Each structure stands twice: as C-alpha cells, then as structure tokens.
C-alpha cells in the first residue's frame, strides 16, 4: 500500500480535485484505490453524491474509541464511489468537533495509521484529502502518509499559505522524528495572467528541489465533473487538466518530480 496525503493550509487550491483525479487515474490503471476524506467540509464526500450533514457513519467513527481502532471498523466504513476500483472513506461535519472532544486523549494522532493498517491488503493506494487547518486531522494524515502532495494555486496570496504548510510539516516531522518527502504542485495555472506567471516563477526560485516540473492548468471540466459526481478522466480523458494530472501521476510513481532536475 502506498499512502499519499494531499494538504495545504489554504483552501481553494485544488486539494480535492487532485485527490479525485489522481485516484481515478490510478483506478483506471487497475489499482485498488481508497480515498479518505479528512475535511469536516466534506468536499470529497459531496463529490460522490453523499451528504456530510446526513451520514450516519463516517471517518468520524474511527475517533470514538479512546485512541484505539476496533478490528473490522475501517472496512465497515468504506463506501463505493460508483467508479470501478475506487472506494471512499467519507467525512461527516461532526469531524469539526474533534478538537474539542479529543483533548487529553492519548494516541489520537495515529488513528488513521491504525485504521489503514487494517486495510493494508485491501488497497494498493490511499489518498488522504485534508482540512486546511492544523489540528488532529492533519496530524493524522501526515503521520500516516509516505509522501505529501502540496497543491498551490499560482497566485501570490497562496504562497503565504505554502509557507505555513511547510512550517507545519517541519514541526510535525520534528516531533515524530520521521522525514516525509513532499512535492509542491502548482495548480489553477493560467498562462494568460501575469499573476500566474509571476507566482510560478517565484515558486521556482524558492523551492527548486521540491517543485513539480509542470503545472495543473485552469480547467472548467473539473467543475463539471464534480457537479456530475464523476471522476474527471471518465468525463473527458483528454482535457488539458486530466493530461496534466496524468503526467503528475507518472512522475510521482517514477520519482521524477523535481523541476530542478530538468
């Protein structure tokens, strides 16, 4: 099992789109893929037609057992997405109460790791979609992940969010004494605007060794796919956004992601 977390402490940068698109492409290759929604807003859950406000059972259930994960519970929570090879562990809005309820409970940062350990033989890839705020959910994701993908919108305000995210990563890695490789992925790129072009150049100067060598363009077909509850590559396999994510997936699996290497 390979576990990738997709995170940024700024919203609206393409985290959920990245999770769904990469997950769909992996499933098309014949892999068994699990998407995990760790955001109380439940955008990933909503993408597949589920209502985070009405779910009786969700990833929230994993956090209700004093730091332990009962045997068999993770498998019971896994839901079908309607896309062959692609499963979902959905979120409910109750996740927003975790910080208040879990104060002082030991082991809460390893719940997702323990849950995925039970599913280890059931899936080839797991993609974790994260809340944009630092807390127990993001700590869980970073503790479980083998690689971190950081989508960054190519506009100047998003660069500050990237700085915060990398600072958070540094703190968590230091506390866990475990290095976590990461890839910064420029998203929502529009070559017609100076803001996008300038931001991309700034990213290349600041993070040459960790920046993906290409970028994800603005593509309205992603919005269409989310409205229809479809994986983008199912809706239109040749759209420019899907082609970009296909290239990203190839680089991630082959380990050739750095802009500085090209």
């Amino acid at each position: 099992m390979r576990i990738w977390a997709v995170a940024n402490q700024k919203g609206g940068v393409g985290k959920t789109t990245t999770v769904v698109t990469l997950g769909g492409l992996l499933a098309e290759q014949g892999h068994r893929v699990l998407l995990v929604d760790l955001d109380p807003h439940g955008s990933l859950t909503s993408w597949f037609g589920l209502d985070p406000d009405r779910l009786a059972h969700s990833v929230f259930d994993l956090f209700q057992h004093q730091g332990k994960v009962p045997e068999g519970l993770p498998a019971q929570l896994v839901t079908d997405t309607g896309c062959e090879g692609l499963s979902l562990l959905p979120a409910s809005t109750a996740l927003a109460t975790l910080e208040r309820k879990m104060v002082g409970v030991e082991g809460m940062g390893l719940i997702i790791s323990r849950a995925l350990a039970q599913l280890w033989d059931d899936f080839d890839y797991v993609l974790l979609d994260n809340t944009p705020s630092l807390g127990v959910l993001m700590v869980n994701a970073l503790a479980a992940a083998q690689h971190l993908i950081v989508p960054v919108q190519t506009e100047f305000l998003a660069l500050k969010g990237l700085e915060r995210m990398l600072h958070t990563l540094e703190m968590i890695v230091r506390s866990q004494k475990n290095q976590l490789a990461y890839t910064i992925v420029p998203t929502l790129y529009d070559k017609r605007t100076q803001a996008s072009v300038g931001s991309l150049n700034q990213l290349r100067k600041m993070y040459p060794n960790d920046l993906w060598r290409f970028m994800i363009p603005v593509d309205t077909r992603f919005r269409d796919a989310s409205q229809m509850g479809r994986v983008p590559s199912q809706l239109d396999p040749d759209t420019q956004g899907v082609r970009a994510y296909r290239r990203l997936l190839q680089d991630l699996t082959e380990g050739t992601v750095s802009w500085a290497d090209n």
Side-chain angles (χ1 to χ4, degrees):
M1 178 188 285
R2 299 179 71 174
I3 306 171
W4 296 344
V6 179
N8 193 324
Q9 285 181 254
K10 185 180 186 304
V13 298
K15 293 189 298 294
T16 300
T17 298
T18 297
V19 167
V20 174
T21 309
L22 289 178
L25 290 170
L26 284 165
E28 287 178 10
Q29 293 178 2
H31 297 294
R32 302 166 299 167
V33 184
L34 176 65
L35 310 182
V36 181
D37 195 346
L38 295 176
D39 189 346
H41 292 103
S43 296
L44 176 60
T45 299
S46 298
W47 189 302
F48 292 104
L50 301 175
D51 186 350
D53 291 318
R54 298 178 180 274
L55 284 178
H57 298 286
S58 72
V59 70
F60 180 72
D61 294 24
L62 298 174
F63 292 86
Q64 303 308 300
H65 304 279
Q66 298 300 304
K68 296 180 174 57
V69 178
E71 189 66 33
L73 179 59
Q76 295 172 21
L77 300 174
V78 172
T79 303
D80 181 51
T81 65
C83 175
E84 185 177 357
L86 195 64
S87 300
L88 172 69
L89 210 170
S92 66
T93 51
L95 284 172
T97 68
L98 273 184
E99 301 295 334
R100 175 171 48 84
K101 291 184 175 181
M102 300 296 109
V103 173
V105 179
E106 292 187 7
M108 295 308 295
L110 297 174
I111 295 298
I112 296 302
S113 297
R114 292 166 180 162
L116 294 181
Q118 292 190 28
L119 301 172
W120 199 265
D121 295 327
D122 299 329
F123 296 98
D124 304 309
Y125 283 86
V126 176
L127 278 73
L128 309 171
D129 191 15
N130 281 272
T131 175
S133 60
L134 174 60
V136 67
L137 290 168
M138 186 175 290
V139 168
N140 266 269
L142 297 183
Q146 299 158 348
H147 194 92
L148 172 64
I149 300 168
V150 187
V152 181
Q153 183 180 358
T154 47
E155 57 96 9
F156 288 108
L157 290 178
L159 300 186
K160 299 302 293 183
L162 175 60
E163 290 179 20
R164 288 192 295 271
M165 181 66 230
L166 296 182
H167 179 64
T168 295
L169 176 62
E170 182 182 349
M171 289 192 303
I172 293 176
V173 165
R174 190 185 305 125
S175 66
Q176 296 177 345
K177 299 180 180 179
N178 182 33
Q179 290 297 317
L180 177 62
Y182 63 89
T183 301
I184 300 168
V185 178
T187 60
L188 298 167
Y189 180 73
D190 187 345
K191 64 182 180 182
R192 301 168 299 178
T193 68
Q194 185 56 44
S196 271
V197 174
S199 298
L200 181 60
N201 288 335
Q202 187 71 8
L203 284 168
R204 286 173 170 171
K205 291 177 183 177
M206 296 172 64
Y207 307 102
N209 297 313
D210 303 302
L211 184 70
W212 182 46
R213 54 185 176 150
F214 300 107
M215 66 290 298
I216 306 296
V218 172
D219 190 335
T220 59
R221 297 297 276 169
F222 289 139
R223 182 177 61 233
D224 297 339
S226 68
Q227 291 174 345
M228 298 173 65
R230 301 275 299 280
V231 169
S233 55
Q234 286 183 328
L235 183 64
D236 189 343
D238 201 41
T239 181
Q240 61 177 347
V242 171
R243 290 200 306 269
Y245 273 112
R246 191 174 284 116
R247 178 179 285 174
L248 172 62
L249 178 59
Q250 180 178 347
D251 286 349
L252 287 168
T253 53
E254 293 179 356
T256 55
V257 296
S258 175
W259 175 77
D261 295 335
N262 296 273

